[in-house]
Amino acid sequence: KAVVSTQSTGGTEDKVGYWLTVTSNSSSDTPPELRHHNQHKRNKSTDWNDQELISNKASHVEVEFSDGPTKFFCKFYFAAEFERLRSMLMPGEALQDFIHSLSYCNKWQAKGGKSGLSFNKTQDDRWVVKEMSRLELQALLMFMPSYIEYVSDSMNKRPTLLAKIVAACTVGYSNVNGNLKQDVIIMENIFYNCTPSLIYDLKGSNRNRLAEETEEVLLDTNYLNHIVTDPIYLRPHCKTFLREAVNCDTAFLAAQSIIDYSLLVGVCGDRLVVGIIDYIRKFTFDKKVEMIFKTNMIGSAGKMPTIVSPEMYRERFYNQIERYFPLVPDRWTGMGSDLQYNS
């Protein structure tokens, strides 16, 4: 996540842009968004290293139970690995607290998505339960071991903006009246504890990326129109963090053949909250066909199609995010650039 405040000059509230201030990824400085009010001493049995994290044999756990005539079932994918990951992302939070949050969910009409899949959000606003398509589930099963390893490694070694997925499962029920089955992921709500006045879903593309201004979630072209009169600037150290996080995250996603992810940006009063979302879509055969068709048959009018190869998607995404958030110089910028050193 990222937090921003407006600059004041000479005692006047002259807003020249938003200043991005990031939180630490280390477990000792876990953001409040990933903490719970009930703090518990960490059990030493949850400590682990990289070798213990990913096993050759996936640890999926299935649970079935009944309540009257209704049978319920749940299959947890990579259950042990995700439990260990949660112990890192939420140090001290007991398992029952996480379950308690999931026990009270409401349907959520998430705006901006085109898949038609369902969303739920916990009543405490901490977690989002998102339905997956079968293709997304297949991609997730191949992708999750590498994802868990990457996120755990990022905690102390590199910045990351990936909105954290903390569980993946298939849930359902059946009775005489019918049945229901859903594949879902549970992920952090990056807008927990804040109410954005503006939300942008940025993919780094200008092709078909203009939404009605009345929409809850705006797109790239809307953002570019807005920053003409109200730009969002970053201080040098925050620009460095954003650049490094996007560079590392997109390199990882491209290596996994992931495309179509977005940078979700929320303006919450004097804060800016950002996170990379929708990163479980593989560059599959149907996406390759879509890319070729849109490029060669429809014509792009000088614009690159939305769907491109993972490396091209990464390059475009990185370059555009670099443009979207310009650097504002401070008193130290350029210092020493005119010095000459004797070899």
Side-chain angles (χ1 to χ4, degrees), residues 50 86 136 142 187 255 287 294 324:
D50 291 340
R86 289 193 296 269
E136 288 176 328
M142 294 185 291
M187 60 188 297
K287 288 295 183 182
K294 288 185 176 179
Y324 289 171

Side-chain angles (χ1 to χ4, degrees), residues 133 135-136 139-140 143 253 256-261 278-287 290 307 310:
S133 67
L135 285 177
E136 288 176 328
L140 179 136
F143 166 61
L253 295 174
Q256 305 298 318
S257 298
I258 300 295
I259 59 169
D260 215 22
Y261 44 87
D278 294 337
Y279 52 83
I280 58 173
R281 189 65 168 93
K282 284 271 188 179
F283 187 60
T284 51
F285 178 76
D286 63 310
K287 288 295 183 182
E290 180 181 349
I307 300 301

Side-chain angles (χ1 to χ4, degrees), residues 23-32 35:
T23 55
S24 170
N25 282 313
S26 66
S27 57
S28 60
D29 294 318
T30 303
R35 290 201 188 122

Side-chain angles (χ1 to χ4, degrees), residues 57-319:
K57 186 176 181 181
S59 56
H60 306 328
V61 176
E62 297 186 34
V63 177
E64 294 184 3
F65 61 94
S66 298
D67 184 6
T70 303
K71 294 182 179 180
F72 298 89
F73 61 91
C74 183
K75 183 174 183 178
F76 298 92
Y77 300 105
F78 305 102
E81 289 85 347
F82 269 121
E83 184 175 5
R84 291 165 182 163
L85 180 61
R86 289 193 296 269
S87 73
M88 290 189 68
L89 296 174
M90 301 170 277
E93 182 175 11
L95 177 60
Q96 58 266 27
D97 296 318
F98 174 67
I99 296 175
H100 184 268
S101 291
L102 297 178
S103 300
Y104 300 91
C105 295
N106 295 321
K107 283 190 174 295
W108 179 38
Q109 298 298 323
K111 305 296 183 179
K114 299 179 181 179
S115 64
L117 299 174
S118 68
F119 285 79
N120 288 272
K121 189 160 58 172
T122 60
Q123 289 186 1
D124 59 10
D125 211 36
R126 290 170 57 81
W127 309 104
V128 173
V129 182
K130 178 184 176 182
E131 184 182 5
M132 294 183 290
S133 67
R134 295 302 298 177
L135 285 177
E136 288 176 328
L137 176 61
Q138 293 171 9
L140 179 136
L141 293 178
M142 294 185 291
F143 166 61
M144 276 298 103
S146 298
Y147 160 81
I148 295 172
E149 187 173 26
Y150 175 81
V151 173
S152 64
D153 197 42
S154 296
M155 297 299 292
N156 298 308
K157 294 183 180 180
R158 69 173 75 89
T160 179
L161 291 175
L162 296 180
K164 306 303 183 297
I165 297 174
V166 297
C169 55
T170 296
V171 296
Y173 71 86
S174 63
N175 56 30
V176 294
N177 297 318
N179 60 77
L180 175 69
K181 181 179 179 181
Q182 286 188 340
D183 305 309
V184 300
I185 54 173
I186 301 169
M187 60 188 297
E188 66 172 324
N189 175 20
I190 70 170
F191 296 145
Y192 170 64
N193 208 26
C194 72
T195 304
S197 57
L198 286 171
I199 301 176
Y200 300 98
D201 183 297
L202 305 177
K203 291 184 180 292
S205 172
N206 293 330
R207 185 183 177 91
N208 299 324
R209 297 294 293 168
L210 178 65
E212 296 291 337
E213 289 293 331
T214 55
E215 292 289 332
E216 183 177 344
V217 179
L218 304 176
L219 306 177
D220 294 70
T221 304
N222 303 92
Y223 179 83
L224 290 173
N225 292 339
H226 291 175
I227 62 175
V228 171
T229 55
D230 192 13
I232 297 178
Y233 294 107
L234 303 185
R235 288 176 175 172
H237 65 283
C238 298
K239 178 75 171 182
T240 299
F241 180 96
L242 180 65
R243 180 185 292 129
E244 181 67 14
V246 171
N247 180 56
C248 292
D249 289 344
T250 56
F252 166 71
L253 295 174
Q256 305 298 318
S257 298
I258 300 295
I259 59 169
D260 215 22
Y261 44 87
S262 305
L263 184 72
L264 193 64
V265 179
V267 179
C268 305
D270 62 350
R271 299 188 300 160
L272 187 72
V273 180
V274 300
I276 295 177
I277 62 170
D278 294 337
Y279 52 83
I280 58 173
R281 189 65 168 93
K282 284 271 188 179
F283 187 60
T284 51
F285 178 76
D286 63 310
K287 288 295 183 182
K288 293 179 183 179
V289 172
E290 180 181 349
M291 178 187 73
I292 295 172
F293 179 76
K294 288 185 176 179
T295 302
N296 298 326
M297 301 300 293
I298 298 178
S300 302
K303 296 180 180 180
M304 187 182 298
T306 303
I307 300 301
V308 293
S309 68
E311 281 298 336
M312 293 176 65
Y313 193 96
R314 179 206 176 198
E315 181 180 1
R316 182 181 67 188
F317 186 87
Y318 177 87
N319 290 336

